[in-house]
Amino acid sequence: MEKVNIVLVGFGRVGRAFFDLLKEKYDYCRERYGLLLELRGIVRKKGTILLSSTQRVLSPSYFATEDLHDLAEWIPAITLSDLLEEFGSGVLVDCTPTNLITGEPGLSVMKMALEKGWHVVTASKGALVLKPEELKNLAKEKKLLIKASGATAAALPTLDIGMYSLAGTEILAIEGILNGTTNYILTRMAEGLTYKKALEEAQEKGIAEPDPSLDVEGWDTAAKMVLIANQVLGTELKLSDVKVSGIQGISHEVIDKAGKLGKILKLFGKCYRQGPDSAWKVEVGLALLDYEHPLARVDGTNKGIIFYTDSMGWVAVTGGKSDPRGAAAALLKDVISIYWHNF
Ligand code: HSE
């Protein structure tokens, strides 16, 4: 058995779902992987909850009796730094909100974790998009890992496929439906709902962000595609290199027109280059897909990615619907993959 210290930062929808999932999967991870996934503390803006000290050891029975969602006693005096130092090493799970302008608070949280010898598993995109080199170099220097499935379409495997399953192939292009909110809105509008109503539904389901502008304006898709390309293709693309348009305010007329042409309308991310010596480009915008396209039938909150390769043909993965539980599961997968060496 290996004991794994976990510190969770951020306790919004995804952070809470991760807390719940860890509780649910504690026994399974012990039995299946020989990992004791011990949540030591939760840190958020209003304070910290210390879940395990020498006196208070976290266990499934603890989980069964406590509901932290409503616990009022967040202790401002205990800082993230205290917590990381007290437990020495482990994995920090970053569920802070994405900020594509400053990268904060994720950037500071991730840097602190790496500096103090903790691996990082993150659902937050800002820091990785804005400061990839700084974070990568720090992790390398400290011999630690940064895992970002949660930031790259979460329950839909993207990096794992590109890095492991397609190793040795030359990837010629990548396309994806990487945002659940926009895919849900387009699906529901094709069924007759207005844009406003479809967006409200996506928010009620916890798929869209409380401020859905990153989703509907295409920036969430752009950030995910940049992260995937930079890791899988080794590019150094920035968000400012991406041509982005979204679906905000899209009318029924546009959707009906697609139907009349016998096509399916999707918010699509594309990463491609004209030839082996040309620069990689990323674009995000509405695309008219033929019914035969492998991603054409990816509906609702589901997502999909397709890699075109030189030696494995095209490889597509679909599903991995967007919701907090799916995002939490992607985080858990990354934690397991750091410590379980039988992949
Ligand atoms: N809100 C996003 C989605 C998930 O709709 O898929 C966060 O990246």
Side-chain angles (χ1 to χ4, degrees):
M1 289 290 160
E2 184 175 4
K3 204 169 262 196
V4 177
N5 293 320
I6 299 175
V7 165
L8 170 61
V9 184
F11 207 54
R13 288 170 312 175
V14 175
R16 284 161 194 244
F18 180 75
F19 172 79
D20 288 337
L21 195 69
L22 212 49
K23 167 171 66 173
E24 182 187 325
K25 300 278 186 179
Y26 183 92
D27 286 339
Y28 181 72
C29 290
R30 187 188 59 219
E31 286 156 20
R32 177 70 184 87
Y33 306 109
L35 297 176
L36 299 170
L37 300 182
E38 305 290 1
L39 186 60
R40 301 307 193 182
I42 305 172
V43 181
R44 67 165 163 171
K45 233 191 278 167
K46 66 192 222 184
T48 294
I49 284 186
L50 187 64
L51 285 170
S52 175
S53 62
T54 40
Q55 286 85 28
R56 199 175 179 195
V57 176
L58 187 66
S59 71
S61 62
Y62 174 90
F63 276 129
T65 54
E66 300 263 348
D67 180 6
L68 287 187
H69 292 197
D70 301 317
L71 204 66
E73 290 172 28
W74 293 87
I75 310 160
I78 303 172
T79 64
L80 175 60
S81 169
D82 297 337
L83 206 55
L84 298 177
E85 274 167 22
E86 174 160 351
F87 292 102
S89 64
V91 54
L92 178 137
V93 176
D94 169 23
C95 293
T96 59
T98 289
N99 182 324
L100 294 177
I101 296 173
T102 65
E104 296 294 358
L107 181 59
S108 302
V109 165
M110 288 166 73
K111 275 167 65 178
M112 182 186 289
L114 293 168
E115 273 155 9
K116 291 187 185 293
W118 288 63
H119 297 293
V120 170
V121 163
T122 185
S124 182
K125 289 173 273 289
L128 293 176
V129 167
L130 296 168
K131 302 280 178 188
E133 286 309 309
E134 188 177 337
L135 292 166
K136 217 161 65 184
N137 291 340
L138 186 55
K140 198 168 165 194
E141 179 196 322
K142 300 279 183 177
K143 297 189 170 57
L144 295 163
L145 294 171
I146 302 172
K147 304 282 272 180
S149 296
T152 48
L156 177 80
T158 57
L159 294 182
D160 295 347
I161 302 292
M163 298 299 289
Y164 299 100
S165 310
L166 303 181
T169 70
E170 192 185 326
I171 294 170
L172 308 171
I174 308 173
E175 294 171 347
I177 297 169
L178 300 175
N179 179 270
T181 301
T182 45
N183 206 38
Y184 183 81
I185 292 173
L186 292 174
T187 304
R188 294 294 279 144
M189 285 184 74
E191 291 164 2
L193 255 66
T194 61
Y195 173 84
K196 190 168 170 281
K197 183 72 193 134
L199 174 58
E200 275 168 20
E201 275 192 9
Q203 284 175 308
E204 278 158 24
K205 286 175 180 289
I207 319 157
E209 306 306 307
D211 170 6
S213 52
L214 289 184
D215 292 313
V216 298
E217 290 172 11
W219 291 104
D220 179 71
T221 301
K224 286 169 179 165
M225 197 50 110
V226 163
L227 292 177
I228 294 166
N230 285 351
Q231 184 134 357
V232 174
L233 305 172
T235 51
E236 291 179 2
L237 291 160
K238 297 184 187 65
L239 213 47
S240 53
D241 299 326
V242 186
K243 213 167 122 193
V244 184
S245 59
I247 66 157
Q248 59 275 38
I250 187 173
S251 69
H252 271 286
E253 214 182 336
V254 178
I255 294 189
D256 294 346
K257 215 179 232 172
K260 280 184 195 136
L261 290 170
K263 308 267 186 186
I264 298 188
L265 198 62
K266 294 290 180 194
L267 185 75
F268 217 53
K270 282 199 301 195
C271 180
Y272 66 97
R273 58 180 173 176
Q274 301 297 354
D277 298 323
S278 311
W280 286 97
K281 288 187 178 161
V282 176
E283 286 174 17
V284 174
L286 281 167
L288 286 169
L289 301 189
D290 292 328
Y291 279 85
E292 296 77 39
H293 190 288
L295 303 187
R297 296 295 179 171
V298 174
D299 282 334
T301 60
N302 282 325
K303 293 165 289 187
I305 190 160
I306 180 164
F307 295 90
Y308 297 90
T309 78
D310 67 337
S311 42
M312 291 192 189
W314 58 261
V315 175
V317 190
T318 61
K321 70 186 172 102
S322 286
D323 69 3
R325 182 173 164 85
L331 295 166
L332 178 64
K333 172 194 71 175
D334 277 352
V335 171
I336 293 167
S337 75
I338 292 174
Y339 293 94
W340 193 61
H341 303 295
N342 297 324
F343 280 108

